[in-house]
Amino acid sequence: MRIAVCDDDRRIREILCREIGEYASEAEVICFKNGEDLLHAEMIPDILFLDIEMPGINGLKLAERLRRNGMDAVIIFISGEEKYVWQAFDVEALQYLRKPISKTDLKNTLERAVQKVQSGRGENAEDKPNMMIRYKGVSEKVYLADIVYAEACGRKVVLHRLNDQVEYYGKISDLEKMLGGDFFRVHRAFLINLKYVVRYGAEGIALKNGTVSISKANYPLFVKRFLQYSAEKASEVKIHEA
């Protein structure tokens, strides 16, 4: 579990990170001194303690941007003022803690947040498999079944979906290890979703939204795997019909 603390007051930031680390010893706790650092961080937290009054982008605006970017972390606002309390819940905050924060309030709120994260994971266990990508400060959840094919472009991976595409910095080899049996690496630059194959030949593979190259070495392996995949899906249909 990843827990982030974003507060421009160094003393409060250090106290919160230390105490959170004591209460949630197995969690990764990361501190940020301002909203800009958090926006550009590679880390996507499960729980976020967020100060409201900060220089630059304040906590409320930051939370709105993070929500628009797809971040579904449990947000806990911290502030020395009560005037923001109603605005805080516009971004589905779990709690609004007044400074100075007592150890009891912090512990109780953290326990609630952890339970909410764990409960959410349980509810999503049967949801469609997905991955979170981050590019230019924007995070997005990508459902694996929606990926038609992935393309390696320098230091980036481009995920082609039926109607659009998204990209992120990474290696296609790492993506290949994660995606599993419905995907096949047909070329050093292309990883395809077998369910979107329309036709194929030694010269290339036609997918629902484009054509990709296939290496000569991989072609026999691809044909074998695709026929196996097609037989597996046909078997599943027969079981469901029965």
Side-chain angles (χ1 to χ4, degrees):
M1 182 175 295
R2 298 173 296 267
I3 303 175
V5 175
C6 184
D7 195 309
D8 63 305
D9 187 313
R10 179 179 177 181
R11 184 183 64 84
I12 293 176
R13 188 171 66 242
E14 291 178 350
I15 290 173
L16 283 173
C17 286
R18 182 179 67 250
E19 293 183 351
I20 290 170
E22 292 173 359
Y23 296 140
S25 58
E26 297 182 359
E28 177 186 3
V29 184
I30 307 295
C31 293
F32 298 94
K33 65 180 183 294
N34 57 55
E36 286 75 12
D37 286 353
L38 178 58
L39 276 174
H40 295 96
E42 294 299 321
M43 174 213 195
I44 300 174
D46 299 297
I47 299 171
L48 172 60
F49 286 82
L50 183 57
D51 185 24
I52 291 182
E53 294 181 307
M54 295 187 292
I57 181 171
N58 69 35
L60 292 170
K61 295 296 184 184
L62 176 61
E64 290 173 1
R65 287 185 60 178
L66 292 171
R67 289 296 193 222
R68 287 199 303 269
N69 291 346
M71 193 197 77
D72 58 357
V74 176
I75 295 178
I76 298 144
F77 281 111
I78 50 180
S79 176
E81 302 286 343
E82 290 186 353
K83 60 184 179 181
Y84 302 108
V85 63
W86 298 116
Q87 292 172 269
F89 294 103
D90 288 341
V91 290
E92 300 177 359
L94 175 72
Q95 186 68 43
Y96 187 99
L97 295 176
R98 280 287 308 275
K99 298 179 183 179
I101 304 169
S102 72
K103 288 190 175 185
T104 300
D105 286 345
L106 177 61
K107 184 178 180 181
N108 291 340
T109 300
L110 184 57
E111 287 176 352
R112 286 180 59 208
V114 170
Q115 289 174 359
K116 187 174 178 64
V117 171
Q118 293 175 341
S119 173
R121 286 175 175 172
E123 291 169 2
N124 293 330
E126 296 181 1
D127 197 2
K128 295 191 299 181
N130 61 79
M131 60 184 285
M132 288 296 297
I133 63 170
R134 189 174 181 85
Y135 184 64
K136 292 185 177 179
V138 176
S139 300
E140 180 174 348
K141 179 184 288 186
V142 176
Y143 291 100
L144 305 188
D146 294 340
I147 301 172
V148 179
Y149 69 99
E151 179 181 7
C153 295
R155 295 189 299 117
K156 294 187 293 185
V157 174
V158 180
L159 303 178
H160 297 265
R161 297 181 288 201
L162 286 174
N163 299 313
D164 65 357
Q165 63 185 47
V166 290
E167 59 187 40
Y168 67 98
Y169 287 108
K171 297 179 180 179
I172 199 169
S173 56
D174 293 337
L175 181 63
E176 180 183 11
K177 294 175 184 176
M178 185 187 72
L179 289 181
D182 287 355
F183 289 78
F184 190 87
R185 185 84 172 269
V186 296
H187 187 276
R188 62 182 179 82
F190 297 114
L191 176 65
I192 69 168
N193 190 335
L194 296 172
K195 81 171 184 176
Y196 291 112
V197 173
V198 176
R199 60 182 179 277
Y200 62 86
E203 71 284 352
I205 299 172
L207 302 165
K208 285 192 175 181
N209 67 343
T211 302
V212 300
S213 302
I214 183 168
S215 67
K216 291 182 179 180
N218 284 345
Y219 184 68
L221 297 174
F222 162 75
V223 173
K224 181 179 180 180
R225 175 63 192 120
F226 183 68
L227 293 176
Q228 180 185 22
Y229 170 85
S230 299
E232 290 170 355
K233 295 304 175 184
S235 176
E236 289 177 6
V237 171
K238 289 180 181 178
I239 291 173
H240 291 313
E241 288 177 346

